């Protein structure tokens, strides 16, 4: 939501946004100054405009920048190897590649999926599509409580030997509830089959809280650049070593054969810089504290303004501990 005063600060002569209160960071964030600078520097460079797949000097320089950014993404989530990072066009493609790519190789076998009813449309709609197009796919939706947290006991009951994929978002884009991913993974490892794959859409978490794939013991994780001050149109999918995905696009062998098409070097550099910023624990913790202060100030202001008329006017959704 953006609140604009009646005097129209967005007039055609003066597009000054100094009076605009921006409350829509869950939809997109403004690119960080360092991200903008890194991308402009690349655009002005005369020796890195090449195709990263080309073997000549300018192509090699572009490949070096892509590899550097891949390492920056790896470090931001504490992945074991930079080869576990696959660049995509954003969160939607990453979710589609994770879900479709896991299920595609076994379409002729019965496959059970567990997910939640409040996933992003790029998760819900690909699951609906696969279920409607293949009678071997069955979907179960785990129950959630009033704070948007999944019911772990119900989740455990849903697990069965045929469960092939669990996909639960890390944090909710509407009310901010953070799911107990580590406990979900523990239950999957304890009660699920050995080939059960666990995916989490962390688009709304990365850059707002620390996300460590090693601690989570997750198999697949979605990363979306523009949610944490990187550019739009770029994202990544973490694919743990040993997890086998089928490509959902067809072309050349870019991104280990999983994402064909010439890499968007400019956007990849921006994503890498954004990840480098959140890899700094001091800066990340500073950002987290600032977000908490801003949230609490807004909430308390609303309480002070409206609850004098009716104590039930302001109702807080989600888990207050988050």
């Amino acid at each position: 939501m953006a609140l604009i005063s009646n005097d129209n600060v967005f007039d055609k002569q003066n597009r000054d946004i100094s009076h605009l209160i921006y409350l829509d960071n869950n939809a997109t964030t403004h690119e960080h100054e360092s991200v903008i600078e890194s991308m402009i520097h690349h655009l002005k460079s005369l020796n890195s405009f090449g195709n990263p797949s080309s073997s000549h000097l300018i192509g090699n320089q572009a490949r070096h920048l892509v590899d550097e950014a891949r390492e920056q993404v790896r470090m931001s989530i504490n992945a074991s190897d930079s080869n576990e990072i696959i660049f995509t066009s954003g969160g939607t493609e990453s979710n589609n590649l994770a879900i479709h790519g896991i299920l595609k190789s076994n379409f002729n076998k019965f496959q059970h999926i567990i997910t939640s009813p409040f996933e992003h449309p790029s998760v819900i709609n690909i699951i609906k599509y696969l279920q409607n197009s293949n009678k071997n796919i069955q979907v179960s939706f785990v129950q959630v409580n009033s704070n948007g947290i999944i019911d772990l006991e119900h989740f455990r009951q849903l697990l069965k030997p045929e469960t092939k994929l669990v996909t639960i978002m890390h944090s909710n884009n509407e009310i901010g509830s953070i799911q107990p991913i580590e406990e979900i993974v523990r239950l999957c490892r304890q009660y699920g089959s050995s080939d059960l794959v666990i995916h989490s859409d962390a688009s709304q978490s990365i850059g707002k809280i620390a996300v460590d794939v090693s601690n989570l013991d997750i198999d697949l994780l979605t990363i979306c650049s523009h949610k944490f001050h990187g550019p739009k149109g770029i994202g990544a999918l973490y694919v743990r070593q040993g997890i086998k995905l089928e490509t959902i696009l067809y072309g050349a062998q870019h991104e280990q054969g999983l994402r064909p098409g010439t890499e968007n070097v400019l956007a990849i550099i921006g994503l890498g810089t954004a990840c480098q910023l959140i890899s700094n624990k001091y800066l990340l913790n500073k950002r987290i504290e600032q977000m908490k202060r801003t949230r609490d100030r807004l909430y308390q202001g609303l309480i002070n303004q409206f609850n004098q008329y009716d104590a039930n006017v302001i109702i807080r959704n989600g888990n207050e501990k988050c």
Side-chain angles (χ1 to χ4, degrees):
M1 174 171 53
L3 306 181
I4 304 178
S5 60
N6 291 330
D7 58 354
N8 189 10
V9 299
F10 263 16
D11 63 356
K12 294 181 180 179
Q13 286 72 37
N14 180 23
R15 295 183 180 273
D16 177 21
I17 64 170
S18 60
H19 301 293
L20 184 144
I21 301 171
Y22 185 73
L23 301 174
D24 203 20
N25 268 352
N26 270 10
T28 197
T29 58
H30 188 281
E31 291 85 351
H32 191 278
E33 181 179 327
S34 298
V35 171
I36 295 172
E37 289 176 356
S38 69
M39 296 174 72
I40 290 175
H41 177 75
H42 171 65
L43 286 174
K44 290 183 175 181
S45 174
L46 298 178
N47 65 348
S48 61
F49 65 86
N51 188 321
S53 297
S54 297
S55 59
H56 50 65
L57 180 63
I58 296 177
N60 288 337
Q61 179 60 22
R63 169 56 55 191
H64 170 73
L65 294 173
V66 170
D67 291 342
E68 184 177 61
R70 199 184 308 276
E71 175 64 13
Q72 290 168 326
V73 177
R74 181 203 70 78
M75 292 180 62
S76 71
I77 59 171
N78 194 29
S80 298
D81 193 287
S82 60
N83 287 329
E84 296 177 314
I85 307 300
I86 304 298
F87 289 122
T88 68
S89 63
T92 290
E93 184 183 343
S94 292
N95 286 337
N96 274 259
L97 176 58
I99 295 167
H100 200 169
I102 283 295
L103 300 174
K104 186 177 178 183
S105 62
N106 291 294
F107 272 169
N108 60 335
K109 299 178 181 179
F110 179 76
Q111 298 183 92
H112 177 234
I113 307 170
I114 301 176
T115 189
S116 77
F118 53 69
E119 298 296 314
H120 189 270
S122 60
V123 169
I124 293 294
N125 288 335
I126 183 60
I127 287 175
K128 285 182 178 178
Y129 165 75
L130 293 173
Q131 186 179 29
N132 291 335
S133 60
N134 192 317
K135 63 182 181 180
N136 290 322
I137 292 177
Q138 180 189 68
V139 182
S140 296
F141 291 93
V142 63
Q143 298 170 358
V144 298
N145 64 23
S146 58
N147 288 326
I149 305 295
I150 72 162
D151 183 329
L152 287 171
E153 178 56 29
H154 183 234
F155 177 81
R156 186 189 66 79
Q157 294 171 6
L158 290 176
L159 286 168
K160 59 178 69 175
E162 297 84 9
T163 304
K164 177 64 176 178
L165 175 68
V166 168
T167 176
I168 304 289
M169 64 166 48
H170 193 280
S171 63
N172 186 264
N173 55 307
E174 298 291 343
I175 60 177
S177 300
I178 300 173
Q179 298 300 331
I181 299 298
E182 291 185 48
E183 185 63 17
I184 290 169
V185 173
R186 187 188 69 78
L187 290 172
C188 288
R189 305 300 186 214
Q190 183 175 356
Y191 296 101
S193 63
S194 59
D195 62 347
L196 170 57
V197 176
I198 309 160
H199 165 252
S200 186
D201 179 0
S203 296
Q204 296 293 351
S205 296
I206 295 176
K208 299 168 187 173
I209 60 174
V211 176
D212 186 320
V213 293
S214 296
N215 287 341
L216 292 175
D217 193 24
I218 204 85
D219 296 315
L220 301 165
L221 188 92
T222 291
I223 301 167
C224 187
S225 167
H226 71 96
K227 304 296 186 182
F228 57 101
H229 304 284
K232 300 172 185 64
I234 187 68
L237 179 66
Y238 161 75
V239 183
R240 186 167 60 86
Q241 289 182 331
I243 299 298
K244 302 298 182 183
L245 283 181
E246 293 277 340
T247 184
I248 60 174
L249 298 173
Y250 296 92
Q253 294 298 305
H254 305 85
E255 296 301 298
Q256 301 176 54
L258 291 175
R259 209 283 178 170
T262 301
E263 294 91 343
N264 185 349
V265 180
L266 177 65
I268 288 172
I269 289 171
L271 169 58
T273 304
C275 286
Q276 186 177 39
L277 290 170
I278 63 172
S279 294
N280 185 315
K281 292 184 179 180
Y282 171 77
L283 293 178
L284 178 59
N285 289 332
K286 188 176 179 180
R287 183 185 295 182
I288 292 170
E289 290 304 315
Q290 189 272 336
M291 285 189 291
K292 287 181 177 179
R293 287 196 304 269
T294 304
R295 176 200 63 192
D296 294 343
R297 180 181 177 185
L298 173 62
Y299 179 64
Q300 192 58 51
L302 292 171
I303 291 291
N304 295 340
Q305 179 69 30
F306 294 105
N307 273 23
Q308 58 182 312
Y309 307 109
D310 185 344
N312 296 316
V313 169
I314 304 299
I315 300 174
R316 188 169 184 165
N317 293 319
N319 189 349
E320 293 190 15
K321 295 180 181 180
C322 294

